[in-house]
Amino acid sequence: MSAGRLKKKSVGIAMLLCAALLLAGCSGSRSSSAGSYSGSVYTVKRGDTLYRISRNTGTSVKELARLNGISPPYTIAVGQKLRLTGKAKSATVSRKTAQNSSKKTPKKTTKTAKTAAARPSSSVPQSAWPSPGQRCWRWPASGKIVLPYSTAVGGNKGIDIAAARGAPVYAAGAGKVVYVGNQLRGYGNLILIKHNEDYITAYAHNDTLLVNNGQSVKAGQKIATMGSSDAASVRLHFQIRYRATAIDPLRYLPPQGSKPKC
């Protein structure tokens, strides 16, 4: 196989591995392409989710849904104007606004749409998550947890750890780096490590990346420095994915500041 074809194939595999990460929603950090808002009105832009808008504006998802009459699965449209304060709007008016906004939006194929086919048809239910202790995970960074894992629709699919810029980021386990880059909007400088056929860990918003695609890493090896790429503040967004499903890292990590006993 030629070098060009091999490179193309590697990129394709990496993007498929990233697809579930991308489609599951962002970590809740501010994106440079987020919609604009003035006063009490927010204008939705491509790639926005209700959860991301909540983080950008400081208005809770529950309050945004109530004010704008949006019901699960919280569908919003590009160009739609969302109220951030005031009295609640009826669901009928909200749906009509979203439909009108959609008609005005050019039909363009986005990267998210292209990767939709790679989204798993079903996720692993929490009852089928692996038992703690089956694998030895290490803390990827030291710092304060500023955003925990959430099972809510559009919720955080990992944990966000805050520390000083330049703080070390470590591999949570031994494995092979399958993605290094910043092509996935909302994650900034991102690293994905594949540990076996079942597990992948993700490290987002890094400042400096210290590993290369295809590189083998050891558990506890320094792979990056903490930053704020595509985030509102310096933090590490960390995920553990089991068969493409994001599971709660705190359920599997040892007590913070200690080494795994397994």
Side-chain angles (χ1 to χ4, degrees), residues 43-146:
T43 303
V44 179
K45 288 195 175 180
R46 189 175 301 280
D48 273 342
T49 63
L50 211 61
Y51 183 78
R52 176 182 290 181
I53 294 170
S54 168
R55 292 292 298 169
N56 287 342
T57 63
T59 306
S60 70
V61 172
K62 183 177 180 180
E63 184 67 3
L64 284 171
R66 185 188 71 82
L67 288 171
N68 296 280
I70 302 173
S71 56
Y74 304 120
T75 301
I76 54 179
V78 175
Q80 181 178 352
K81 295 186 182 301
L82 300 179
R83 294 192 299 168
L84 307 179
T85 59
K87 295 182 179 180
K89 183 189 293 186
S90 70
T92 302
V93 173
S94 180
R95 283 195 295 270
K96 185 176 181 181
T97 301
Q99 290 169 357
N100 290 338
S101 298
S102 298
K103 291 178 181 179
K104 297 177 183 178
T105 305
K107 295 183 178 180
K108 296 181 179 180
T109 302
T110 64
K111 183 180 293 185
T112 301
K114 290 180 180 179
T115 57
R119 186 175 187 175
S121 57
S122 61
S123 59
V124 179
Q126 191 167 350
S127 60
W129 286 6
S131 302
Q134 289 187 2
R135 290 188 63 86
C136 291
W137 297 110
R138 296 171 177 260
W139 275 86
S142 298
K144 180 181 179 180
I145 298 175
V146 293

XYZ file of all heavy atoms in Angstrom, residues 43-146:
787
model
N -28.853 34.092 19.434
C -29.104 33.608 18.080
C -28.318 32.320 17.844
O -27.091 32.311 17.941
C -28.696 34.658 17.025
O -29.400 35.870 17.284
C -29.037 34.169 15.626
N -29.014 31.232 17.546
C -28.396 29.915 17.384
C -27.561 29.868 16.102
O -28.001 30.318 15.042
C -29.468 28.810 17.333
C -28.824 27.442 17.136
C -30.288 28.837 18.613
N -26.362 29.306 16.208
C -25.511 29.097 15.043
C -25.214 27.606 14.872
O -25.442 26.798 15.772
C -24.206 29.887 15.178
C -24.407 31.388 14.999
C -23.092 32.098 14.772
C -23.316 33.580 14.473
N -22.037 34.297 14.244
N -24.699 27.266 13.702
C -24.427 25.866 13.369
C -23.512 25.234 14.419
O -22.508 25.806 14.803
C -23.793 25.777 11.987
C -23.681 24.336 11.471
C -23.159 24.335 10.030
N -24.031 25.087 9.153
C -25.159 24.610 8.639
N -25.547 23.378 8.937
N -25.894 25.347 7.839
N -23.875 24.044 14.874
C -23.066 23.323 15.853
C -23.515 23.551 17.289
O -23.042 22.874 18.198
N -24.412 24.509 17.518
C -24.890 24.777 18.872
C -25.776 23.648 19.390
O -26.488 22.998 18.633
C -25.712 26.072 18.895
C -24.849 27.312 19.093
O -23.705 27.162 19.550
O -25.333 28.420 18.796
N -25.711 23.418 20.677
C -26.668 22.561 21.377
C -27.204 23.378 22.546
O -26.605 24.379 22.949
C -26.015 21.283 21.920
O -25.021 21.655 22.904
C -25.352 20.480 20.812
N -28.314 22.964 23.104
C -28.879 23.703 24.222
C -27.914 23.709 25.404
O -27.820 24.698 26.137
C -30.223 23.082 24.626
C -31.250 24.068 25.209
C -31.603 25.140 24.194
C -32.508 23.327 25.633
N -27.179 22.612 25.565
C -26.228 22.531 26.675
C -25.087 23.520 26.467
O -24.666 24.212 27.392
C -25.672 21.107 26.798
C -24.736 20.947 27.963
C -25.240 20.816 29.256
C -23.361 20.940 27.786
C -24.388 20.691 30.336
C -22.511 20.818 28.868
C -23.029 20.690 30.146
O -22.179 20.573 31.210
N -24.567 23.622 25.228
C -23.474 24.556 24.954
C -23.942 25.995 25.156
O -23.220 26.825 25.715
C -22.952 24.372 23.524
C -21.868 25.381 23.152
C -21.399 25.203 21.734
N -20.629 23.979 21.595
C -20.079 23.586 20.443
N -20.222 24.317 19.360
N -19.393 22.471 20.386
N -25.157 26.297 24.695
C -25.698 27.639 24.874
C -25.835 27.951 26.362
O -25.569 29.072 26.808
C -27.067 27.761 24.167
C -26.884 27.632 22.648
C -27.732 29.094 24.494
C -28.178 27.505 21.877
N -26.221 26.948 27.142
C -26.342 27.125 28.586
C -25.007 27.532 29.192
O -24.923 28.454 30.008
C -26.835 25.818 29.228
O -26.700 25.866 30.634
N -23.937 26.862 28.760
C -22.607 27.166 29.286
C -22.148 28.546 28.839
O -21.500 29.277 29.590
C -21.609 26.105 28.811
C -21.836 24.738 29.403
C -21.536 24.709 30.878
N -20.142 25.034 31.123
C -19.642 25.284 32.326
N -20.424 25.284 33.375
N -18.361 25.559 32.481
N -22.463 28.929 27.611
C -22.009 30.216 27.072
C -22.737 31.404 27.687
O -22.168 32.493 27.805
C -22.195 30.245 25.550
C -21.187 29.375 24.836
O -20.159 29.018 25.393
N -21.483 29.011 23.601
N -24.004 31.205 28.045
C -24.816 32.321 28.510
C -25.036 32.339 30.018
O -25.477 33.352 30.565
C -26.196 32.297 27.830
O -26.887 31.086 28.206
C -26.052 32.348 26.309
N -24.758 31.206 30.669
C -24.979 31.138 32.107
C -26.415 30.842 32.489
O -26.777 30.875 33.663
N -27.251 30.526 31.500
C -28.643 30.151 31.748
C -28.758 28.637 31.694
O -28.261 28.020 30.753
C -29.579 30.773 30.692
O -29.377 32.185 30.651
C -31.037 30.492 31.026
N -29.384 28.028 32.683
C -29.446 26.572 32.737
C -30.240 26.002 31.563
O -31.082 26.688 30.976
C -30.086 26.118 34.053
O -31.463 26.437 34.073
N -29.950 24.747 31.224
C -30.677 24.064 30.149
C -32.166 24.028 30.475
O -33.020 24.273 29.610
C -30.132 22.632 29.951
C -31.015 21.846 28.983
C -28.702 22.660 29.437
N -32.483 23.741 31.728
C -33.890 23.662 32.154
C -34.590 24.997 31.943
O -35.726 25.059 31.467
C -33.953 23.247 33.620
C -35.370 23.070 34.151
C -35.344 22.599 35.595
C -36.757 22.420 36.137
N -36.746 21.955 37.556
N -33.884 26.093 32.288
C -34.478 27.419 32.148
C -34.626 27.810 30.686
O -35.635 28.396 30.274
C -33.610 28.449 32.884
C -34.172 29.861 32.898
C -35.450 30.014 33.721
O -35.887 29.014 34.345
O -36.007 31.118 33.736
N -33.612 27.480 29.859
C -33.697 27.760 28.427
C -34.892 27.033 27.802
O -35.630 27.604 26.994
C -32.403 27.337 27.731
C -31.190 28.241 27.900
C -29.943 27.559 27.340
C -31.410 29.579 27.206
N -35.041 25.775 28.175
C -36.158 24.990 27.635
C -37.496 25.575 28.070
O -38.439 25.671 27.284
C -36.030 23.537 28.090
N -37.572 25.990 29.342
C -38.828 26.553 29.864
C -39.167 27.878 29.177
O -40.306 28.094 28.753
C -38.705 26.774 31.372
C -39.998 27.238 32.046
C -39.753 27.623 33.498
N -38.989 28.863 33.594
C -39.520 30.077 33.500
N -40.815 30.221 33.271
N -38.765 31.151 33.606
N -38.180 28.750 29.057
C -38.410 30.076 28.488
C -38.822 30.015 27.023
O -39.573 30.865 26.539
C -37.142 30.931 28.619
C -36.790 31.422 30.023
C -35.406 32.053 30.026
C -37.836 32.411 30.518
N -38.312 29.014 26.315
C -38.543 28.960 24.875
C -39.483 27.848 24.446
O -39.625 27.568 23.257
C -37.195 28.829 24.159
C -36.320 30.049 24.372
O -36.485 31.067 23.714
N -35.379 29.968 25.312
N -40.115 27.189 25.420
C -41.089 26.157 25.107
C -40.490 24.986 24.359
O -41.135 24.407 23.477
N -39.247 24.622 24.710
C -38.561 23.528 24.026
C -38.659 22.265 24.875
O -38.325 22.280 26.052
C -37.081 23.880 23.784
C -36.974 25.168 22.967
C -36.361 22.736 23.067
C -35.546 25.677 22.825
N -39.124 21.194 24.269
C -39.253 19.932 24.986
C -38.248 18.920 24.444
O -37.720 19.086 23.348
C -40.682 19.381 24.833
O -41.015 19.249 23.457
N -37.931 17.863 25.224
C -36.983 16.848 24.751
C -37.387 16.340 23.381
O -38.572 16.190 23.109
C -37.094 15.744 25.821
C -37.536 16.479 27.051
C -38.464 17.553 26.548
N -36.440 16.069 22.460
C -34.988 16.050 22.674
C -34.302 17.401 22.488
O -33.153 17.458 22.072
C -34.509 15.051 21.609
C -35.481 15.265 20.483
C -36.796 15.551 21.128
N -34.975 18.497 22.762
C -34.391 19.841 22.757
C -33.817 20.218 21.393
O -32.662 20.626 21.278
C -33.315 19.963 23.833
C -33.816 19.631 25.220
C -33.258 18.589 25.951
C -34.863 20.351 25.783
C -33.734 18.273 27.219
C -35.343 20.042 27.047
C -34.771 19.013 27.757
O -35.240 18.703 29.015
N -34.612 20.079 20.363
C -34.174 20.418 19.007
C -34.219 21.927 18.799
O -35.211 22.581 19.115
C -35.088 19.747 17.965
O -35.041 18.331 18.161
C -34.621 20.083 16.546
N -33.117 22.476 18.279
C -33.053 23.896 17.952
C -32.546 24.030 16.524
O -31.969 23.093 15.963
C -32.137 24.668 18.914
C -30.738 24.030 18.967
C -32.752 24.745 20.302
C -29.771 24.771 19.879
N -32.761 25.204 15.931
C -32.395 25.404 14.531
C -31.463 26.601 14.385
O -31.532 27.560 15.158
C -33.655 25.629 13.688
N -30.598 26.518 13.376
C -29.687 27.624 13.082
C -30.502 28.875 12.757
O -31.441 28.837 11.973
C -28.766 27.268 11.897
C -27.893 28.468 11.521
C -27.896 26.068 12.237
N -30.156 29.980 13.372
C -30.865 31.225 13.153
C -31.994 31.465 14.138
O -32.525 32.576 14.231
N -32.353 30.431 14.893
C -33.429 30.573 15.869
C -32.993 31.508 16.998
O -31.856 31.469 17.454
C -33.787 29.201 16.441
C -34.930 29.221 17.459
C -35.258 27.822 17.955
O -34.737 26.831 17.440
N -36.121 27.733 18.952
N -33.888 32.369 17.450
C -33.584 33.296 18.536
C -34.169 32.750 19.835
O -35.370 32.492 19.921
C -34.131 34.691 18.222
C -33.451 35.331 17.014
C -33.910 36.757 16.811
C -33.269 37.373 15.571
N -31.803 37.380 15.636
N -33.304 32.575 20.821
C -33.725 32.031 22.109
C -33.712 33.130 23.169
O -32.768 33.905 23.252
C -32.793 30.895 22.541
C -32.696 29.688 21.606
C -31.719 28.678 22.172
C -34.058 29.055 21.391
N -34.754 33.158 23.962
C -34.813 34.114 25.056
C -34.065 33.571 26.266
O -34.144 32.377 26.573
C -36.268 34.413 25.416
C -37.027 35.147 24.310
C -38.348 35.666 24.807
N -39.227 34.580 25.257
C -40.340 34.775 25.947
N -40.692 35.992 26.293
N -41.091 33.745 26.298
N -33.348 34.439 26.946
C -32.560 34.048 28.112
C -33.235 34.461 29.415
O -32.881 33.970 30.481
C -31.159 34.676 28.039
C -30.386 34.418 26.743
C -29.034 35.122 26.792
C -30.199 32.933 26.493
N -34.194 35.370 29.314
C -34.944 35.817 30.489
C -36.391 36.066 30.085
O -36.724 36.068 28.900
C -34.371 37.131 31.051
O -34.434 38.142 30.039
C -32.927 36.954 31.499
N -37.238 36.280 31.076
C -38.624 36.620 30.786
C -39.587 35.489 31.097
O -39.246 34.524 31.777
N -40.795 35.588 30.551
C -41.818 34.572 30.768
C -41.687 33.437 29.770
O -41.152 33.615 28.684
C -43.218 35.196 30.653
C -43.514 36.227 31.729
C -44.924 36.761 31.584
C -45.238 37.780 32.677
N -46.615 38.314 32.556
N -42.188 32.291 30.151
C -42.078 31.107 29.297
C -42.895 31.275 28.026
O -43.966 31.877 28.017
C -42.550 29.869 30.063
N -42.358 30.711 26.931
C -43.037 30.722 25.636
C -43.686 29.365 25.416
O -43.172 28.347 25.864
C -42.021 31.004 24.527
C -42.615 31.104 23.128
C -41.523 31.175 22.085
C -40.730 32.439 22.171
N -39.756 32.550 21.052
N -44.785 29.328 24.705
C -45.463 28.059 24.456
C -44.656 27.200 23.508
O -43.908 27.695 22.675
C -46.855 28.299 23.845
O -46.733 28.795 22.523
N -44.799 25.884 23.637
C -44.055 24.949 22.787
C -44.450 25.118 21.333
O -43.643 24.942 20.431
C -44.322 23.515 23.250
N -45.734 25.471 21.069
C -46.206 25.633 19.694
C -45.469 26.763 18.999
O -44.991 26.627 17.873
C -47.722 25.923 19.672
O -48.399 24.854 20.308
C -48.214 26.077 18.245
N -45.315 27.904 19.692
C -44.602 29.047 19.124
C -43.148 28.701 18.882
O -42.561 29.051 17.859
C -44.715 30.269 20.058
C -43.842 31.410 19.556
C -46.163 30.715 20.172
N -42.526 27.986 19.833
C -41.118 27.619 19.696
C -40.898 26.723 18.495
O -39.945 26.890 17.743
C -40.640 26.916 20.971
O -39.293 26.562 20.865
N -41.792 25.732 18.300
C -41.629 24.822 17.164
C -41.776 25.569 15.847
O -41.051 25.320 14.887
C -42.662 23.689 17.261
C -42.309 22.622 18.282
C -43.169 21.394 18.049
N -44.578 21.674 18.284
C -45.179 21.527 19.458
N -44.496 21.127 20.513
N -46.474 21.785 19.588
N -42.715 26.526 15.804
C -42.925 27.304 14.589
C -41.702 28.143 14.284
O -41.272 28.256 13.137
C -44.150 28.206 14.763
C -44.518 28.981 13.505
C -45.798 29.777 13.712
C -46.169 30.538 12.450
N -47.402 31.333 12.638
N -41.093 28.734 15.314
C -39.877 29.532 15.141
C -38.742 28.684 14.607
O -38.006 29.081 13.705
C -39.454 30.158 16.479
O -40.520 30.966 16.962
C -38.208 31.019 16.309
N -38.593 27.493 15.155
C -37.522 26.598 14.709
C -37.722 26.181 13.267
O -36.770 26.106 12.488
C -37.484 25.354 15.609
N -38.993 25.910 12.889
C -39.267 25.489 11.517
C -38.984 26.613 10.535
O -38.403 26.406 9.479
C -40.730 25.051 11.413
C -41.030 23.743 12.130
C -42.513 23.467 12.232
O -43.339 24.271 11.813
N -42.854 22.318 12.802
N -39.383 27.843 10.886
C -39.131 28.987 10.018
C -37.649 29.251 9.871
O -37.160 29.589 8.792
C -39.821 30.240 10.578
C -41.337 30.160 10.465
O -41.850 29.408 9.652
N -42.044 30.916 11.293
N -36.890 29.083 10.972
C -35.447 29.295 10.933
C -34.785 28.262 10.048
O -33.845 28.557 9.316
C -34.865 29.226 12.352
O -35.418 30.238 13.159
N -35.288 27.023 10.104
C -34.701 25.950 9.299
C -34.883 26.211 7.818
O -34.015 25.913 7.002
C -35.343 24.612 9.678
O -35.082 24.307 11.012
N -36.042 26.804 7.439
C -36.306 27.078 6.028
C -35.356 28.119 5.470
O -35.035 28.126 4.291
C -37.753 27.554 5.873
C -38.785 26.476 6.147
C -40.189 27.022 6.032
C -41.221 25.934 6.340
N -42.595 26.461 6.263
N -34.894 29.030 6.333
C -34.003 30.096 5.903
C -32.551 29.636 5.855
O -31.691 30.327 5.339
C -34.110 31.283 6.861
C -35.495 31.910 6.891
C -35.548 33.034 7.902
C -36.947 33.643 8.001
N -37.000 34.712 9.031
N -32.263 28.479 6.404
C -30.894 27.999 6.493
C -30.501 27.225 5.244
O -31.182 26.283 4.861
C -30.728 27.062 7.719
O -31.157 27.770 8.875
C -29.286 26.634 7.871
N -29.398 27.578 4.573
C -28.955 26.834 3.404
C -28.687 25.390 3.776
O -28.148 25.106 4.844
C -27.651 27.561 3.007
C -27.762 28.913 3.636
C -28.525 28.710 4.894
N -29.054 24.494 2.868
C -28.848 23.071 3.131
C -27.439 22.681 2.733
O -27.139 22.391 1.586
C -29.869 22.233 2.358
C -31.301 22.460 2.826
C -32.266 21.563 2.080
C -33.693 21.759 2.579
N -34.640 20.897 1.860
N -26.554 22.696 3.723
C -25.166 22.333 3.494
C -24.830 21.070 4.272
O -25.319 20.846 5.371
C -24.227 23.468 3.943
C -24.400 24.747 3.132
C -23.429 25.803 3.608
C -23.558 27.090 2.801
N -22.610 28.122 3.271
N -23.996 20.261 3.699
C -23.566 19.045 4.372
C -22.410 19.395 5.283
O -21.379 19.863 4.837
C -23.107 17.989 3.354
O -24.190 17.720 2.472
C -22.699 16.711 4.064
N -22.592 19.199 6.591
C -21.549 19.514 7.548
C -20.773 18.253 7.910
O -21.171 17.140 7.586
C -22.175 20.090 8.826
O -22.993 19.074 9.422
C -23.040 21.302 8.512
N -19.669 18.466 8.612
C -18.855 17.333 9.037
C -19.645 16.423 9.966
O -19.512 15.194 9.928
C -17.594 17.837 9.749
C -16.646 16.719 10.155
C -15.418 17.275 10.842
C -14.560 18.066 9.899
N -13.293 18.507 10.522
N -20.502 17.032 10.815
C -21.323 16.227 11.717
C -22.249 15.313 10.938
O -22.411 14.144 11.262
C -22.152 17.137 12.631
O -21.271 17.974 13.376
C -23.005 16.325 13.579
N -22.846 15.847 9.860
C -23.756 15.042 9.051
C -23.000 13.905 8.371
O -23.512 12.796 8.237
C -24.432 15.913 8.006
N -21.796 14.185 7.925
C -21.005 13.163 7.242
C -20.645 12.019 8.173
O -20.497 10.881 7.743
C -19.720 13.794 6.689
C -19.950 14.742 5.506
C -18.644 15.321 5.026
C -18.845 16.262 3.850
N -17.573 16.861 3.391
N -20.478 12.335 9.469
C -20.088 11.291 10.408
C -21.278 10.616 11.066
O -21.116 9.706 11.862
C -19.192 11.875 11.510
O -19.891 12.947 12.163
C -17.887 12.397 10.949
N -22.494 11.072 10.723
C -23.682 10.507 11.369
C -23.798 9.008 11.135
O -24.264 8.273 11.997
C -24.936 11.210 10.861
N -23.355 8.548 9.974
C -23.452 7.120 9.660
C -22.568 6.292 10.563
O -22.788 5.089 10.736
C -23.070 6.887 8.207
N -21.563 6.920 11.163
C -20.639 6.183 12.024
C -21.131 6.110 13.463
O -20.536 5.440 14.277
C -19.262 6.851 12.009
N -22.241 6.789 13.761
C -22.757 6.774 15.123
C -23.313 5.396 15.459
O -24.039 4.807 14.666
C -23.858 7.824 15.274
C -24.345 7.977 16.709
C -25.336 9.108 16.803
N -25.690 9.372 18.189
C -26.467 10.363 18.578
N -26.971 11.181 17.673
N -26.755 10.544 19.847
N -22.966 4.848 16.638
C -23.479 3.534 17.001
C -25.002 3.535 17.024
O -25.634 4.516 17.418
C -22.907 3.329 18.418
C -21.733 4.249 18.500
C -22.086 5.427 17.653
N -25.613 2.428 16.577
C -27.064 2.348 16.534
C -27.653 2.313 17.935
O -28.799 2.673 18.147
C -27.496 1.090 15.773
O -26.924 -0.064 16.377
N -26.879 1.892 18.914
C -27.336 1.887 20.295
C -26.129 2.046 21.204
O -25.004 1.731 20.826
C -28.062 0.572 20.614
O -27.189 -0.526 20.456
N -26.355 2.544 22.410
C -25.272 2.718 23.356
C -25.364 1.644 24.429
O -26.393 0.985 24.595
C -25.342 4.113 23.988
O -26.589 4.275 24.643
N -24.281 1.486 25.176
C -24.258 0.495 26.242
C -25.004 1.067 27.441
O -24.625 2.120 27.965
C -22.804 0.165 26.635
C -22.777 -0.845 27.772
C -22.037 -0.370 25.436
N -26.093 0.439 27.897
C -26.839 0.962 29.045
C -25.990 0.914 30.308
O -25.059 0.110 30.426
C -28.040 0.015 29.133
C -27.578 -1.249 28.509
C -26.660 -0.825 27.399
N -26.298 1.778 31.250
C -25.501 1.869 32.466
C -25.453 0.542 33.216
O -24.460 0.213 33.858
C -26.058 2.976 33.362
C -25.141 3.335 34.524
C -25.552 4.634 35.194
O -26.395 5.364 34.686
N -24.953 4.929 36.330
N -26.519 -0.235 33.108
C -26.553 -1.534 33.786
C -25.538 -2.511 33.218
O -25.177 -3.500 33.863
C -27.957 -2.138 33.678
O -28.322 -2.312 32.311
N -25.065 -2.231 31.993
C -24.097 -3.120 31.345
C -22.678 -2.540 31.344
O -21.790 -3.093 30.703
C -24.537 -3.412 29.907
N -22.473 -1.443 32.049
C -21.122 -0.885 32.154
C -20.216 -1.881 32.868
O -20.679 -2.665 33.699
C -21.146 0.412 32.946
C -21.724 1.582 32.222
C -22.328 1.586 30.995
C -21.788 2.932 32.701
N -22.749 2.850 30.671
C -22.429 3.696 31.695
C -21.360 3.564 33.861
C -22.647 5.063 31.843
C -21.579 4.924 34.014
C -22.212 5.663 33.006
N -18.924 -1.862 32.567
C -18.002 -2.780 33.249
C -17.902 -2.462 34.737
O -18.107 -1.309 35.158
C -16.672 -2.535 32.531
C -16.785 -1.147 31.978
C -18.232 -1.017 31.574
N -17.593 -3.455 35.519
C -17.446 -3.259 36.968
C -16.147 -2.523 37.271
O -15.134 -2.742 36.602
C -17.457 -4.608 37.693
O -18.656 -5.306 37.424
N -16.126 -1.664 38.259
C -14.890 -0.984 38.656
C -13.829 -2.001 39.056
O -14.134 -3.041 39.635
C -15.320 -0.135 39.857
C -16.783 0.089 39.649
C -17.287 -1.182 39.038
N -12.593 -1.707 38.739
C -11.492 -2.597 39.112
C -11.077 -3.557 38.028
O -10.067 -4.249 38.159
N -11.829 -3.623 36.926
C -11.458 -4.528 35.840
C -10.210 -4.040 35.106
O -9.467 -4.832 34.544
C -12.612 -4.679 34.850
C -13.790 -5.487 35.391
C -14.835 -5.761 34.325
O -14.680 -5.390 33.171
N -15.911 -6.422 34.720
N -10.013 -2.721 35.092
C -8.824 -2.123 34.486
C -8.226 -1.120 35.463
O -8.919 -0.552 36.305
C -9.165 -1.399 33.178
C -9.538 -2.332 32.040
C -9.661 -1.550 30.747
N -8.393 -0.936 30.366
C -7.426 -1.537 29.668
N -7.603 -2.790 29.267
N -6.322 -0.916 29.356
N -6.921 -0.917 35.346
C -6.223 0.039 36.209
C -6.144 1.397 35.515
O -5.377 1.562 34.567
C -4.813 -0.461 36.527
S -4.793 -1.910 37.598
N -6.940 2.339 35.963
C -6.902 3.682 35.400
C -6.180 4.623 36.353
O -6.300 4.511 37.571
C -8.322 4.202 35.166
C -9.117 3.425 34.173
C -10.194 2.626 34.423
C -8.912 3.364 32.755
N -10.682 2.071 33.256
C -9.908 2.511 32.212
C -7.993 3.937 31.886
C -10.012 2.224 30.858
C -8.091 3.670 30.534
C -9.083 2.820 30.031
N -5.420 5.551 35.770
C -4.728 6.579 36.547
C -5.382 7.933 36.284
O -5.954 8.152 35.218
C -3.238 6.656 36.149
C -2.453 5.392 36.469
C -1.067 5.475 35.835
N -0.263 4.319 36.165
C 0.671 4.294 37.108
N 0.910 5.395 37.814
N 1.375 3.209 37.351
N -5.268 8.826 37.225
C -5.793 10.169 37.019
C -5.006 10.856 35.912
O -3.779 10.840 35.918
C -5.700 10.988 38.307
C -6.889 10.745 39.184
C -7.034 9.737 40.099
C -8.103 11.487 39.197
N -8.273 9.808 40.686
C -8.957 10.881 40.160
C -8.567 12.606 38.502
C -10.239 11.352 40.439
C -9.840 13.082 38.782
C -10.659 12.460 39.733
N -5.689 11.467 34.955
C -4.989 12.111 33.841
C -4.407 13.471 34.201
O -3.579 14.008 33.456
C -6.096 12.267 32.789
C -7.339 12.416 33.606
C -7.152 11.520 34.796
N -4.831 14.038 35.321
C -4.326 15.347 35.750
C -4.707 15.573 37.203
O -5.623 14.929 37.728
C -4.904 16.470 34.878
N -3.991 16.487 37.828
C -4.312 16.884 39.201
C -5.028 18.228 39.149
O -4.629 19.121 38.406
C -3.037 17.008 40.037
O -2.376 15.767 40.124
N -6.062 18.377 39.930
C -6.788 19.637 39.947
C -8.202 19.454 40.459
O -8.603 18.363 40.879
N -8.956 20.525 40.408
C -10.324 20.526 40.902
C -11.287 20.112 39.796
O -11.180 20.572 38.660
C -10.688 21.928 41.395
C -12.108 22.045 41.940
C -12.408 23.469 42.383
C -13.839 23.607 42.908
N -14.134 25.000 43.330
N -12.233 19.245 40.124
C -13.258 18.848 39.158
C -14.292 19.970 39.104
O -15.021 20.208 40.060
C -13.919 17.523 39.553
C -12.880 16.400 39.566
C -15.052 17.174 38.590
C -13.414 15.081 40.054
N -14.351 20.651 37.976
C -15.263 21.791 37.834
C -16.542 21.426 37.090
O -17.498 22.193 37.087
C -14.560 22.964 37.123
C -13.451 23.529 37.994
C -13.999 22.541 35.762
